[in-house]
Amino acid sequence: MSRPHQYHQPNAPDSPGDDGSDSDIEINIDELGPNRSKDAVEYEGSSLWDPGSPDGRIPLRNLRVSRTRGLGIQREDGGYQNDGSEVFLHHRAGGGDADGTEDSAPLLETRNCPASRPRSPDLSLRRPSSRIARLFSSTRNDLPRQPAGVQESNSIGVSRNITIGQYPPPRFPPNAVSNAKYTAWSFLPRTLYNEFSFFFNMYFLLVALSQLIPPLRIGYVSTYVVPLVFVLSITLGKEAFDDIARRRRDAEANKETYTVLRLQDPTKAIKPNSKRNRTAKAQSKRARSDTALSYPSRLDVIEEEEEILGQIGKPSRYGIHVDELSMRSRDIKVGDVVKLSKDQRVPADLVILKSSSAEPGFAVPSACHNESNLSDSPRNEADCSPHPPGQISASTGLGTGESTKQGASSTEAGGTGEAFLRTDQLDGETDWKLRLASPLTQSLDPREFARLQIVAGRPSRKVNEFVGTIEYIPCEDPPHSGTTQHGQGEKAPSAPLTIENTAWANTVLASSCTVLAVVVYTGAQTRQAMSTSPPRSKTGLLDCEINDLTKILCALTLTLSIVLVALEGFENREEMKWYVAIARFLILFSTIIPISLRVNLDMGKSVYAWFIERDQRIPDTVVRTSSIPEELGRIEYLLSDKTGTLTQNVMELKKIHVGTVSYANEAMDEVSSYIRQGFVIGPAGGVLQSSSLVTPSSSYNASAAGTQTTRTRREIGSRVRDLVLALALCHNVTPTSEEEDGQSFTTYQASSPDEIAIVRWTEQIGLRLIHRDRMSITLQSVETSRVVVRVRILEVFPFTSEGKRMGIILQFLQGEESVDSTADNAGEIWFYQKGADTVMTSIVATNDWLDEETANMAREGFRTLVIGRRRLSPQQYQDFSFQYKEASLSLQARDTRVARVVREHLESNLELLGVTGVEDKLQKDVKPSLELLRNAGIKIWMLTGDKVETARCVAVSAKLVSRTQYIHTITKLTSDTPAATALDALSLLRSKPDSTALLIDGDSLSYFLNHHRWEFISIAVLLPAVIACRCSPTQKADIAYLIRQFTKKRVACIGDGGNDVSMIQAADVGVGIVGKEGRQASLAADFSITSFHHLTRLLVWHGRNSYKRSAKLAQFIIHRGLIISVCQTIYSIAAHYEPNALYRDWLLVGYATVYTMAPVFSLVLDKDVDEGVANLYPELYKELTNGQSLSYRTFFVWVAVSIYQGSIIQGLSQILVGSADSPQMVSVSFTVLVINELIMVACEIVTWHRIMVVSLLGTMGIYMGSVPFLGGYFDLAYVWSWGFAWRVAAISAISLIPPYSVKILRRTLKPPSYRKVQGI
C-alpha cells in the first residue's frame, strides 16, 4: 500500500541501504594476519594506505583484485606474489557462476593466516584518497550479510563492478543468442557418438571392418563399406542442415539493431595501438562467432583493466561527447547504455537509468562545453553538470532543506522515471510490471552517465530478485587544482538497486516512453538464458524400438551361424577354423539387419517434414527437428502454456450485474443510454451548473434526454451510473496520447490487462479517462467532450496475490479547485474497492444474489470482479490516515499492522455496487481443439506463471475442464507443512481420478516435487487435466522430465514465450508458437506453428501418417533382409554348411537398392484413413499410443512370413531346377525374390498413389531390362526359356497366396478399427 505519490512493488526486497549504515564496509588490516609488520609498513608508504582511516583500516572496496599493479608471477595455489611480499590474491578455482564464468573479485588474504576475527560493528565509510588507491577498489559489500549456512545465488559477495561507458573486461560473455546444438569442433564427435549408439550402426561398422581381414572377406569390400558411409552421410548431412538452419535463425535475432549511447571523453583518448584497442578488436572478432566464449587468463584480465584505468582514470570535468550508434544485439556489451522505445524487445539484462515520455528530453548533446572553454582555469561544478550538487544529494535522499525541493522538481522535469514491461515471455505473467529509474540517475543528463558506477550481484536465474548499488563519482578537477568536488571526509552519492530498477532480457517495453538503461548481464548470464536448459539431441521412440528389434535379429543371426557350424561339427572342418566359419556366416547373414533400414527411415522423415511444411491448412509451419516426426503420433501427455498459447491475452468486459438486472452483448446499448443521462452537465434550472462536476451523491438526471422515465428505471440507472463510475476510477490505468499516420489516439497503460479492458469498456459506453497521475484522475463525457468528474487521489492500495483486491480513496472535486487543495471540506471522500468474490463476499454488505451470480459467471469462464464502495467523513478519513501512517512506519510486523488498520477502518459493510465478468479471449478454435485432443486420449496439463484465479477461469472457458469435473485446489503448501496434511490433499484425487482435475500453485508444486515427488506424480498422471499456476520456467521443465521418467510415455510441450523454452527442450516433442513479442519458443522448438489449433492437425493427421508409414516401412525393410537371409541359410545347408555366398556382389547390392527400394519407399505415401475420418474419430489416435503398428507381435509375424517365403523360394528353386548351385537355380531364385517383394508391397497398400504405380511398374521394367547384363550371375539362355517362366510363376504363387489368404481371413474375423469406421 502506498501513498498517491508512490508506487509499490509487491514483495519487493528491502532496500539494502535502509538500515542507515554506511554503504562501504571496512576491515582491519590486522584481520588479514598477525604478520603485518613489514608488509604493513611497506603498504603504509604507498597511496593504498589511508592514513585517515582509524585503527589502520582499509576500505573494503579498495581491495579489488582486478585492478592491482605490480603483480609478480602466479603461484601454483592460484595467488599472485608481489615482489616477495606476503600479500597475495587468492584465486578461487571454480569461483565463478553456474555457467563456469568467473565473475568475482576475491579479497586480499595473507599466507597461513588464521581465521578472521568477527568484524567490528563500527563500520565507517572512507573514500580512496587517490587514483592508485581506486585500483584496489573491492566489490562493494554494502548489503546485509547472509547468516552462516545460508546460500544465496544472488549474493553481492561475488559481484561485478561496472563503470558505465567503458569497455568491459573480456570475462563477460558476448550478447549472442544461440540455439545451435553443435559447434564446428563438437559436430563430428557428437553426431558420430549418437549414430553409433544405435546397435545396428555399430554392428555394420564391425561388419565393414571385418572385410579388412582376408579370411573373413566375402566379395567386394565396397559392398559393405559404401552403404555404411552413405547412411552416415545422409544422417550427418541432415543434422548439419538442421543446425545450420538454427544458426541462421539465431543470426537473424542477433542482428536486431538497437540504439546505443557512446560516452567519449575527448581529453582522454585511448592510444590507437594500446593494448585495450588491440583487445577490443580481438574481442570484436570473437563476438562474431556463436561458439562458446573462451575466457582469458586472470593475469590478462588484470593487465587489461589496469591499462584501461591508467588511461581513463576518473571521469573528467571537461566535456563528454554522447553519440548515438546503431548496434546489433550481439555486439552489445556490459556497460553499454541502450536506448529503448515502446514495443522494443530488451536485448540483455539492464538497469534503468532514465525514463521519460517526453522524447525531446532525450536530445543527446554533443559535448558539455564548447572547445573554446577548454582551459586550465578552475570552474565550479555547475560548469560540468546541468544542476547543482545539492540536487544530486536530494535525489538520493541525502540532501535536506531547500535542496530536497530542487531534487524533487528536477525529477519531475526529467520525467516520471516509470516504465511498464511485458514479462510474459520471461515468467508467463500477463500483468505488466512497473519499473522505476533510480532517483539518483533519473535527473541526470546522459553526459553524466560516465560518472556512474554500478555494483551488481553475480548472475542468477531468479527473475524476481536483484541486489546492487549505483554510485555517482564526482568530476575531476583541473590538473593544477589538486582537489575534487567532494572532500576527503564526504562519501559519494549512492543508491540501492532492486528488482524495480531492472529490465530483463526478452521482456518488452510496453509503455509509451523512452528508456535509457545500462547493460549489466549479457548472453549466457542473462536471467532467461540461465533459466533455459541446453538443447539436447532427441531420439524418437520408434528408433529405440527398431534398435531393440535389431538386437533380436543379431541374436538370431548369431544363433543361426553357430547352429550351421555345429551341424557339420566343430572338429570336422579342414579348410578353416570353426570360429572363422561362424564369423563368415555372421557376415553372410548380415543382411538380416539391413543397413538400408536407417537411411530409408531418415529419408522418410524428410518426406514427412516436407508434407508438414507444405500443408496449406497449417501455413507457416516449420519443422526444425526432422528426426522425430513419428513422435507426433505417439503423444499421451500435452503440457501447454496459457498466455499467448491458449489465450490471446486480450481482455474484454462481457457482462455486468447490478443486483436486479444484468447486461451483456446487445444490452450494453441500454447501459450507454444510462451513462449519457447520468453524466449530463447543463444550464441551471434543476440540473447541474456548468461549472459543477458529477459526484456519487449527485442526483441521477434521468430526464435529461427529454423522455419521462419510471421510478424503477431511475433507480436502475442510478445503480448503473454508480457502478460505471467506480469502474472508471478504481484502477491504476494511465492514459497516453500517441500519433500514428498523422492521427492522434489514446492508449492505456496498466500493470494488468483486466483493468485496461474495463477502462476501455467505460469509454465505449460514454465515460472516458483523459488524465491520471499520482495525484488526480479526470473523466470526460464521450458524448459532450466535457469534463464531468475530477477527483483527488488520497490513498492507493495496490492489488496483491495474497489480498486479491485493489482499493483507492478519492476526494471528489465539485468545481475548478486545484487538486493540491488541502481543505477538509473540498469534496466528498469515498473508498472504492474491487476484488475476487472469495474475499469480497465478507467485505460487502449482506445480500442474497452475489454468490449465485459470481458462480454463474465463473461457469461461463469469466473473470469476476466484485465492486463496492463506502463514504468516509473527513473525521473518519483523518483517523484512518493517522493510524495507517503509524502502522506504515512500524519496524515489526508492518504488513500485518497495515492490513489490520485497513480492515478495521475501511473494509467492512461496503455498499455492493455490482459484479463484472471479463473474458480472456481464447486463441482461435481452442475449445474444439482441446476437446478433440482429449477424445484422442491425450491428458492435458496447463502450466502457467499467472495467478490461480486467472488460470481457473481460462481452464473453464477453454473447456480444459469439463462441467462435470470437480476442480480440486491445492495452494499455499510450504516446507513447514506437515507431511500428513500434504498427503491428505492428494487423497481425494486418488479416490476419483477420472472425474477430478487438479489446480495447484507453484509453492505447493515445489513442495511436492521436493518432498513427495513420486506420490504426487503417480496420482497426477492419472488425472484428465492438471492446472499448475505460478510456475517458474525450471518447474515447467522439471514436470516434463518427471512425467517422461515416471510414465515412459511421450510428452509434448507447447508454448510461445521465452519462459517456455526449458519446458519445450525437456519434452519429447517441443512445439513453439510464433508469439507477438518474440520467437524464442519457436526457435528452440522441434516444430513451429502459428496458432494452437494447428496442433490438432499436426498430431492427429501428420503424426498418425508419419508413425504408421514408418512402422510399415521398417517392417518391409526387415522382411526384405530376412527373406534373403533365409534363402542363404537354405543354400548353405544344401552346400554342406559351407559359408559361401548365394548372391554375390551386384545381386546383393542391387536387391536392396534399384530392384526393391523405390516400391518399398513409396509406402511413405500410403494412408490408412482420410483426414475427415481421422478428425471425426479421434479415438483412432489413441490406438497409436499403444505402439501396435510396430510391436513384438507384428515383428514376429513378419519373421514367420519371411521364414516361410524364403524357405519356399530357395527350397523349390533348388528342387525344381534340380541343382543346389548353378546359374539356372540362382536366376530362378533371385527373380522370384524380386517379384515376391514387389507383389507384397502392392498387397499392403491401402490408398494408391500414382507414384506407387510408377515405382512398381518402373522397378519391374528396370529389372527386366538389366537381366541381359547379368550374364556373370545368370544363365541367360535359360532365362528366356518356358521352363524358367513356369518355375518362376509356380514358386511365386506358392510363396504369396497362403500369407495373403491368412491376412484376408484375419481382417474378416477381426477387422482393425480404421476399417470399421470406414465400413470396409
Side-chain angles (χ1 to χ4, degrees):
M1 303 181 184
S2 63
R3 297 287 303 168
H5 61 281
Q6 296 174 328
Y7 277 82
H8 177 67
Q9 176 75 10
N11 303 325
D14 295 335
S15 299
D18 291 344
D19 58 355
S21 64
D22 291 326
S23 59
D24 280 315
I25 297 177
E26 296 178 353
I27 61 174
N28 195 312
I29 191 65
D30 290 336
E31 295 179 9
L32 300 179
N35 302 325
R36 168 180 177 265
S37 57
K38 178 181 178 180
D39 301 314
V41 172
E42 180 181 348
Y43 274 84
E44 284 177 8
S46 69
S47 56
L48 168 65
W49 188 263
D50 188 357
S53 179
D55 302 327
R57 296 180 182 271
I58 297 178
L60 183 61
R61 68 179 182 183
N62 293 350
L63 304 180
R64 188 177 182 206
V65 62
S66 58
R67 291 187 177 178
T68 53
R69 291 183 182 272
L71 293 177
I73 61 173
Q74 184 177 3
R75 295 194 306 269
E76 294 180 356
D77 60 358
Y80 292 89
Q81 185 171 354
N82 190 352
D83 299 330
S85 70
E86 297 294 325
V87 182
F88 70 93
L89 304 174
H90 182 60
H91 179 57
R92 298 184 303 113
D97 194 32
D99 62 352
T101 306
E102 184 185 48
D103 193 18
S104 62
L107 301 179
L108 284 170
E109 299 176 357
T110 58
R111 188 179 306 179
N112 302 324
C113 64
S116 300
R117 299 193 305 269
R119 297 192 177 187
S120 171
D122 182 20
L123 304 175
S124 59
L125 175 80
R126 292 297 177 193
R127 181 83 186 148
S129 58
S130 69
R131 185 172 66 187
I132 299 179
R134 286 174 53 241
L135 297 177
F136 288 86
S137 62
S138 159
T139 56
R140 297 177 42 123
N141 199 346
D142 51 352
L143 303 174
R145 295 177 58 86
Q146 293 288 342
V150 177
Q151 293 182 354
E152 176 56 55
S153 65
N154 204 15
S155 173
I156 197 67
V158 185
S159 60
R160 59 180 59 188
N161 206 328
I162 302 168
T163 301
I164 297 177
Q166 292 188 12
Y167 202 89
R171 68 173 182 265
F172 300 140
N175 192 46
V177 177
S178 179
N179 290 295
K181 292 182 180 179
Y182 311 104
T183 65
W185 300 106
S186 67
F187 176 74
L188 278 179
R190 289 184 59 185
T191 52
L192 290 177
Y193 173 81
N194 291 335
E195 289 305 308
F196 288 113
S197 62
F198 287 99
F199 176 78
F200 50 82
N201 281 344
M202 180 59 71
Y203 176 80
F204 277 104
L205 177 63
L206 296 177
V207 170
L209 293 177
S210 70
Q211 296 304 292
L212 301 178
I213 304 175
L216 301 181
R217 185 174 300 167
I218 300 176
Y220 298 130
V221 177
S222 59
T223 305
Y224 301 91
V225 175
V226 172
L228 178 63
V229 173
F230 178 71
V231 169
L232 294 178
S233 300
I234 292 294
T235 306
L236 268 62
K238 184 167 60 65
E239 282 291 317
F241 179 81
D242 291 343
D243 210 51
I244 290 172
R246 294 188 192 97
R247 288 182 174 273
R248 288 175 178 172
R249 292 187 292 269
D250 292 340
E252 292 178 4
N254 293 329
K255 288 179 181 178
E256 187 175 357
T257 58
Y258 291 87
T259 301
V260 176
L261 302 188
R262 172 164 294 177
L263 311 178
Q264 295 180 336
D265 188 349
T267 64
K268 301 201 173 184
I270 305 299
K271 299 177 182 179
N273 295 323
S274 67
K275 182 173 182 179
R276 179 199 177 197
N277 202 8
R278 296 193 303 270
T279 306
K281 293 180 180 178
Q283 186 176 5
S284 177
K285 293 181 180 178
R286 289 197 301 269
R288 287 192 287 268
S289 172
D290 284 337
T291 59
L293 181 67
S294 177
Y295 296 97
S297 67
R298 187 71 171 175
L299 187 58
D300 290 340
V301 174
I302 294 172
E303 290 178 351
E304 182 185 347
E305 291 195 51
E306 180 181 350
E307 183 172 357
I308 293 173
L309 188 64
Q311 297 188 48
I312 296 179
K314 194 185 296 183
S316 172
R317 66 180 300 166
Y318 302 107
I320 295 291
H321 285 285
V322 180
D323 299 324
E324 288 192 3
L325 305 177
S326 181
M327 187 176 293
R328 296 179 302 178
S329 175
R330 65 177 303 149
D331 295 331
I332 294 176
K333 297 177 177 61
V334 173
D336 285 343
V337 178
V338 182
K339 181 178 179 181
L340 299 173
S341 56
K342 184 180 179 182
D343 294 331
Q344 199 167 10
R345 182 182 69 89
V346 178
D349 286 356
L350 312 176
V351 168
I352 298 176
L353 301 177
K354 192 178 183 71
S355 173
S356 176
S357 58
E359 183 69 24
F362 279 86
V364 179
S366 60
C368 189
H369 301 290
N370 297 328
E371 294 293 335
S372 58
N373 291 333
L374 295 177
S375 63
D376 292 338
S377 60
R379 291 184 296 270
N380 57 28
E381 179 63 22
D383 291 336
C384 66
S385 178
H387 46 70
Q391 179 176 317
I392 302 174
S393 299
S395 64
T396 60
L398 301 175
T400 57
E402 192 65 28
S403 63
T404 303
K405 298 180 181 179
Q406 295 176 5
S409 61
S410 174
T411 300
E412 294 299 326
T416 61
E418 302 170 2
F420 283 100
L421 297 178
R422 289 197 297 268
T423 63
D424 52 336
Q425 296 289 308
L426 180 67
D427 55 19
E429 296 188 19
T430 57
D431 294 351
W432 291 4
K433 303 297 189 301
L434 176 67
R435 293 295 184 257
L436 304 171
S438 173
L440 176 65
T441 61
Q442 174 62 27
S443 58
L444 294 180
D445 187 277
R447 290 169 294 195
E448 297 180 273
F449 290 166
R451 294 198 259 157
L452 295 175
Q453 191 173 44
I454 292 177
V455 177
R458 73 175 186 180
S460 169
R461 68 173 58 186
K462 297 184 178 181
V463 297
N464 294 320
E465 294 182 13
F466 176 73
V467 180
T469 57
I470 187 167
E471 179 184 9
Y472 183 88
I473 303 174
C475 272
E476 188 180 58
D477 279 296
H480 75 278
S481 175
T483 62
T484 59
Q485 173 193 340
H486 293 265
Q488 290 287 340
E490 295 186 51
K491 64 178 181 180
S494 63
L497 295 175
T498 66
I499 187 64
E500 294 181 339
N501 308 119
T502 62
W504 297 143
N506 286 319
T507 58
V508 177
L509 183 61
S511 52
S512 300
C513 63
T514 301
V515 170
L516 297 182
V518 62
V519 178
V520 291
Y521 307 112
T522 54
Q525 295 181 351
T526 60
R527 289 307 200 260
Q528 186 194 15
M530 297 190 69
S531 299
T532 302
S533 57
R536 64 185 181 92
S537 297
K538 297 182 179 181
T539 302
L541 181 60
L542 183 70
D543 293 331
C544 297
E545 292 171 344
I546 293 175
N547 195 51
D548 293 337
L549 295 180
T550 56
K551 295 177 182 178
I552 298 176
L553 293 175
C554 181
L556 179 62
T557 303
L558 179 61
T559 302
L560 186 59
S561 302
I562 295 175
V563 168
L564 291 177
V565 174
L567 288 176
E568 185 180 0
F570 293 101
E571 303 297 335
N572 299 330
R573 293 185 172 272
E574 298 179 357
E575 298 181 359
M576 64 182 69
K577 298 292 185 181
W578 63 268
Y579 51 84
V580 176
I582 292 177
R584 286 177 64 87
F585 273 122
L586 280 173
I587 297 170
L588 287 174
F589 295 147
S590 63
T591 54
I592 290 181
I593 307 175
I595 194 171
S596 59
L597 174 61
R598 186 65 190 275
V599 69
N600 276 271
L601 290 177
D602 286 345
M603 292 171 62
K605 297 173 193 289
S606 300
V607 173
Y608 309 148
W610 188 87
F611 286 151
I612 292 172
E613 291 185 338
R614 281 156 183 78
D615 190 341
Q616 297 301 319
R617 301 187 62 178
I618 48 174
D620 299 325
T621 298
V622 180
V623 179
R624 305 198 189 282
T625 304
S626 59
S627 60
I628 56 172
E630 302 94 348
E631 297 296 276
L632 296 171
R634 310 287 295 275
I635 302 300
E636 294 193 50
Y637 291 91
L638 175 64
L639 277 55
S640 174
D641 180 40
K642 178 187 73 69
T643 307
T645 303
L646 298 178
T647 69
Q648 303 180 31
N649 198 25
V650 176
M651 309 296 175
E652 184 177 357
L653 193 146
K654 287 287 190 178
K655 190 175 184 180
I656 65 170
H657 194 285
V658 292
T660 57
V661 63
S662 64
Y663 299 92
N665 302 324
E666 292 80 6
M668 291 298 182
D669 295 337
E670 188 174 354
V671 176
S672 299
S673 66
Y674 286 135
I675 297 304
R676 285 195 299 270
Q677 298 170 15
F679 288 93
V680 172
I681 300 179
V687 293
L688 299 174
Q689 298 291 334
S690 60
S691 60
S692 300
L693 300 174
V694 176
T695 66
S697 59
S698 301
S699 60
Y700 179 71
N701 190 24
S703 60
T707 59
Q708 297 297 324
T709 58
T710 63
R711 179 179 179 181
T712 302
R713 183 174 177 83
R714 287 196 298 273
E715 290 178 354
I716 294 175
S718 179
R719 292 180 184 177
V720 171
R721 186 198 67 174
D722 292 341
L723 174 62
V724 173
L725 180 61
L727 294 175
L729 294 173
C730 186
H731 54 71
N732 65 352
V733 180
T734 302
T736 60
S737 180
E738 296 186 5
E739 186 172 337
E740 184 176 342
D741 298 332
Q743 296 181 351
S744 180
F745 58 94
T746 301
T747 60
Y748 297 108
Q749 302 174 19
S751 62
S752 172
D754 301 59
E755 295 199 325
I756 295 179
I758 291 175
V759 171
R760 283 178 175 166
W761 177 80
T762 61
E763 180 180 4
Q764 292 173 0
I765 63 173
L767 194 61
R768 178 186 294 131
L769 173 68
I770 62 171
H771 174 75
R772 192 249 170 80
D773 56 25
R774 300 184 183 185
M775 302 299 297
S776 66
I777 300 176
T778 303
L779 304 180
Q780 179 190 65
S781 171
V782 174
E783 184 181 23
T784 63
S785 298
R786 299 184 62 178
V787 173
V788 293
V789 176
R790 293 178 67 238
V791 297
R792 180 186 298 117
I793 302 175
L794 302 180
E795 297 286 352
V796 176
F797 309 98
F799 178 90
T800 62
S801 299
E802 294 76 18
K804 300 179 182 179
R805 57 192 181 274
M806 180 262 179
I808 189 170
I809 299 179
L810 303 172
Q811 187 172 35
F812 284 81
L813 306 180
Q814 304 201 3
E816 299 298 330
E817 64 267 31
S818 170
V819 295
D820 297 329
S821 174
T822 58
D824 293 340
N825 58 353
E828 306 170 11
I829 299 177
W830 288 82
F831 168 63
Y832 288 96
Q833 190 171 58
K834 64 181 180 183
D837 58 288
T838 54
V839 296
M840 293 295 292
T841 302
S842 60
I843 295 177
V844 299
T846 305
N847 59 88
D848 57 357
W849 59 270
L850 178 59
D851 293 339
E852 180 182 359
E853 187 58 33
T854 53
N856 292 337
M857 289 188 180
R859 279 192 291 270
E860 296 181 54
F862 294 146
R863 304 166 73 164
T864 57
L865 282 177
V866 179
I867 295 90
R869 69 176 182 180
R870 179 179 180 182
R871 184 168 182 175
L872 303 177
S873 66
Q875 184 59 42
Q876 287 177 321
Y877 172 71
Q878 289 180 5
D879 294 342
F880 160 77
S881 181
F882 176 76
Q883 295 190 29
Y884 178 69
K885 291 177 181 177
E886 279 193 341
S888 300
L889 296 175
S890 61
L891 300 179
Q892 301 294 331
R894 178 185 302 175
D895 293 341
T896 303
R897 294 184 182 183
V898 167
R900 184 190 306 119
V901 171
V902 173
R903 184 169 59 252
E904 292 176 353
H905 289 266
L906 302 178
E907 294 181 340
S908 61
N909 205 30
L910 266 64
E911 177 188 355
L912 177 59
L913 297 178
V915 182
T916 64
V918 177
E919 179 188 44
D920 189 352
K921 286 188 177 181
L922 301 175
Q923 294 281 0
K924 180 182 178 182
D925 295 335
V926 162
K927 294 181 182 180
S929 298
L930 290 177
E931 183 179 3
L932 188 148
L933 294 174
R934 192 164 47 245
N935 292 335
I938 299 176
K939 294 180 173 62
I940 304 172
W941 292 39
M942 185 174 75
L943 311 180
T944 176
D946 223 329
K947 299 183 288 291
V948 174
E949 293 77 13
T950 304
R952 180 194 297 269
C953 293
V954 171
V956 173
S957 62
K959 299 296 187 276
L960 177 64
V961 178
S962 64
R963 295 191 176 186
T964 60
Q965 291 176 346
Y966 167 72
I967 301 179
H968 182 59
T969 305
I970 301 178
T971 57
K972 299 181 180 178
L973 296 183
T974 63
S975 57
D976 299 329
T977 303
T981 303
L983 295 177
D984 287 342
L986 298 176
S987 60
L988 178 61
L989 299 174
R990 192 182 299 274
S991 61
K992 297 180 179 180
D994 296 331
S995 60
T996 306
L998 174 62
L999 177 63
I1000 187 170
D1001 65 353
D1003 293 336
S1004 303
L1005 178 63
S1006 178
Y1007 172 82
F1008 281 118
L1009 295 181
N1010 292 331
H1011 298 89
H1012 307 287
R1013 174 182 294 258
W1014 297 112
E1015 292 87 346
F1016 169 76
I1017 198 64
S1018 63
I1019 298 176
V1021 295
L1022 302 176
L1023 303 177
V1026 176
I1027 303 101
C1029 315
R1030 295 296 186 187
C1031 283
S1032 66
T1034 305
Q1035 282 181 323
K1036 292 182 179 182
D1038 289 343
I1039 292 174
Y1041 176 78
L1042 192 59
I1043 295 176
R1044 289 175 47 221
Q1045 187 181 33
F1046 182 81
T1047 64
K1048 308 302 180 183
K1049 304 295 185 182
R1050 299 290 95 177
V1051 177
C1053 294
I1054 182 171
D1056 75 314
N1059 61 310
D1060 302 318
V1061 171
S1062 293
M1063 174 181 70
I1064 287 172
Q1065 292 177 340
D1068 295 299
V1069 176
V1071 183
I1073 297 179
V1074 180
K1076 296 180 180 178
E1077 288 83 16
R1079 301 195 304 167
Q1080 293 81 21
S1082 171
L1083 293 174
D1086 304 308
F1087 300 88
S1088 172
I1089 58 179
T1090 57
S1091 181
F1092 181 85
H1093 74 280
H1094 292 167
L1095 181 66
T1096 58
R1097 182 171 175 83
L1098 197 63
L1099 298 182
V1100 176
W1101 178 240
H1102 289 289
R1104 176 184 183 83
N1105 289 337
S1106 299
Y1107 172 62
K1108 296 281 285 187
R1109 291 165 175 172
S1110 286
K1112 185 178 292 187
L1113 179 63
Q1115 289 170 340
F1116 257 96
I1117 295 174
I1118 292 174
H1119 166 265
R1120 187 177 63 187
L1122 271 172
I1123 194 173
I1124 196 173
S1125 297
V1126 172
C1127 292
Q1128 175 67 49
T1129 303
I1130 301 299
Y1131 171 75
S1132 297
I1133 293 174
H1136 306 288
Y1137 309 104
E1138 289 297 327
N1140 297 322
L1142 170 62
Y1143 308 122
R1144 291 182 174 88
D1145 305 332
W1146 169 250
L1147 293 184
L1148 190 63
V1149 175
Y1151 172 75
T1153 54
V1154 296
Y1155 296 151
T1156 60
M1157 182 175 179
V1160 172
F1161 188 72
S1162 68
L1163 291 173
V1164 300
L1165 303 175
D1166 192 19
K1167 53 185 179 182
D1168 56 351
V1169 297
D1170 57 29
E1171 182 182 356
V1173 173
N1175 290 328
L1176 186 61
Y1177 300 98
E1179 293 79 7
L1180 294 174
Y1181 184 88
K1182 191 183 301 184
E1183 296 181 353
L1184 304 179
T1185 60
N1186 299 327
Q1188 296 179 357
S1189 297
L1190 181 62
S1191 61
Y1192 288 115
R1193 185 186 65 82
T1194 60
F1195 168 72
F1196 285 111
V1197 167
W1198 278 98
V1199 170
V1201 171
S1202 301
I1203 293 175
Y1204 168 78
Q1205 291 183 334
S1207 301
I1208 293 296
I1209 292 172
Q1210 185 60 29
L1212 290 181
S1213 296
Q1214 294 178 176
I1215 293 173
L1216 295 180
V1217 173
S1219 172
D1221 187 9
S1222 66
Q1224 292 87 352
M1225 185 275 297
V1226 172
S1227 60
V1228 171
S1229 173
F1230 191 80
T1231 302
V1232 174
L1233 198 63
V1234 172
I1235 293 175
N1236 180 86
E1237 194 67 21
L1238 298 182
I1239 296 178
M1240 285 290 292
V1241 171
C1243 292
E1244 288 295 322
I1245 293 176
V1246 178
T1247 304
W1248 283 88
H1249 192 279
R1250 62 178 178 271
I1251 295 180
M1252 297 177 176
V1253 177
V1254 172
S1255 64
L1256 285 169
L1257 297 179
T1259 299
M1260 194 63 199
I1262 290 174
Y1263 176 71
M1264 298 299 294
S1266 66
V1267 168
F1269 302 96
L1270 302 178
Y1273 310 98
F1274 292 174
D1275 185 347
L1276 298 182
Y1278 178 74
V1279 168
W1280 304 114
S1281 66
W1282 283 106
F1284 173 82
W1286 74 261
R1287 287 177 175 85
V1288 169
I1291 297 173
S1292 299
I1294 296 174
S1295 68
L1296 289 168
I1297 292 177
Y1300 188 70
S1301 300
V1302 173
K1303 178 180 179 181
I1304 293 177
L1305 180 62
R1306 183 179 179 277
R1307 283 185 177 180
T1308 303
L1309 297 178
K1310 190 179 179 181
S1313 299
Y1314 72 89
R1315 298 184 71 87
K1316 291 180 181 179
V1317 298
Q1318 287 179 319
I1320 300 177

